[in-house]
Amino acid sequence: MGWIDLELVLISLAAMLSPTTLTFSVLAVVLAKRPLRTGVWFYLGAFLVTIAIGILAAFVLGDVAAPSSGGGRKTWVSIFDLVAGVVLLVYVARTWRTPIGEKTTKGMVEKMSSVASSPWIAVFAAGATLANPGGFIPLALKAISELNPSRGGYIAAWLFFTIVSLLPLGVAILLMLVSPNRAERVLHAARTWLEGHLRLIASAIILLLAITLLRNGIAGLTS
């Protein structure tokens, strides 16, 4: 595995553990009267929107970030990595000891309580806007483009990113299909656990991603 492959894996894991996105995903099924129905539509909203972005990028961006014909890393790609790495370091420094605030959590619960009892189209739209990988999308677009993929390869790599970033919600849906009663207990326990530990775990992954981006950026500018 090369450095860019590692970068893509870390981006996917960071997107999967994004505190806001993951909390919305858990609340979508925990607060719903029909959790499977709500979870499926919420997942489909996030999945289809994210996939659509990747398919568009495969045709518009393609290999724009791939190494030049001489094999060297493009300067703007290295600068992008350095800026992104610094931004992520600042984010971790400011948030790693700060759990999601009570006021913020209350607002998220109120929002998802409303969504959970809404028609399917509203749940779908909520998934598209609240459960997508958000700020990690530009990082993933750049990393995949840097791998110099074909259009098919770009879409395949983007599918990997999408599935990993939505993995917790996907697993919850599978668990509800296989064992609904157990799923309810697990999801409520997961909500409690996430409130106490998610920020720290997510910060650790983002820190590793930031270090990788800085390493790649510096290597690109000095090679």
Side-chain angles (χ1 to χ4, degrees):
M1 178 184 289
W3 281 101
I4 306 305
D5 298 289
L6 175 61
E7 183 182 314
L8 179 59
V9 170
L10 290 173
I11 292 169
S12 303
L13 291 175
M16 179 183 75
L17 294 172
S18 170
T20 302
T21 302
L22 188 52
T23 301
F24 273 128
S25 297
V26 171
L27 291 176
V29 292
V30 168
L31 300 176
K33 293 182 179 179
R34 299 167 60 190
L36 181 58
R37 170 257 189 195
T38 301
V40 168
W41 284 117
F42 199 74
Y43 182 91
L44 285 175
F47 182 86
L48 292 178
V49 165
T50 306
I51 284 294
I53 292 172
I55 293 174
L56 179 63
F59 287 90
V60 176
L61 297 179
D63 60 355
V64 67
S68 61
S69 57
R73 204 163 189 251
K74 294 178 179 176
T75 301
W76 74 264
V77 175
S78 297
I79 294 174
F80 178 96
D81 282 355
L82 288 174
V83 172
V86 170
V87 169
L88 290 177
L89 282 179
V90 172
Y91 172 81
V92 170
R94 295 184 61 181
T95 64
W96 76 277
R97 288 186 175 181
T98 307
I100 298 176
E102 183 178 343
K103 184 177 180 181
T104 301
T105 301
K106 184 178 179 181
M108 296 170 76
V109 170
E110 291 176 352
K111 181 186 288 289
M112 292 312 302
S113 295
S114 174
V115 168
S117 59
S118 299
W120 71 268
I121 189 65
V123 179
F124 182 92
T129 55
L130 299 176
N132 68 70
F136 295 101
I137 288 177
L139 296 176
L141 292 173
K142 189 279 304 180
I144 295 173
S145 177
E146 197 173 354
L147 293 172
N148 195 20
S150 63
R151 285 177 179 173
Y154 198 112
I155 294 172
W158 189 260
L159 180 62
F160 165 81
F161 167 70
T162 302
I163 291 174
V164 173
S165 66
L166 295 174
L167 189 59
L169 183 55
V171 170
I173 291 171
L174 288 176
L175 188 57
M176 286 186 286
L177 285 170
V178 174
S179 180
N181 293 330
R182 183 182 180 188
E184 184 177 356
R185 295 193 301 271
V186 170
L187 290 171
H188 278 88
R191 178 185 174 184
T192 302
W193 188 86
L194 289 173
E195 289 175 352
H197 301 85
L198 178 58
R199 178 72 76 182
L200 182 59
I201 296 173
S203 294
I205 297 296
I206 293 173
L207 178 60
L208 289 175
L209 173 58
I211 293 171
T212 301
L213 286 167
L214 290 172
R215 180 268 167 203
N216 291 343
I218 293 171
L221 290 177
T222 57
S223 59

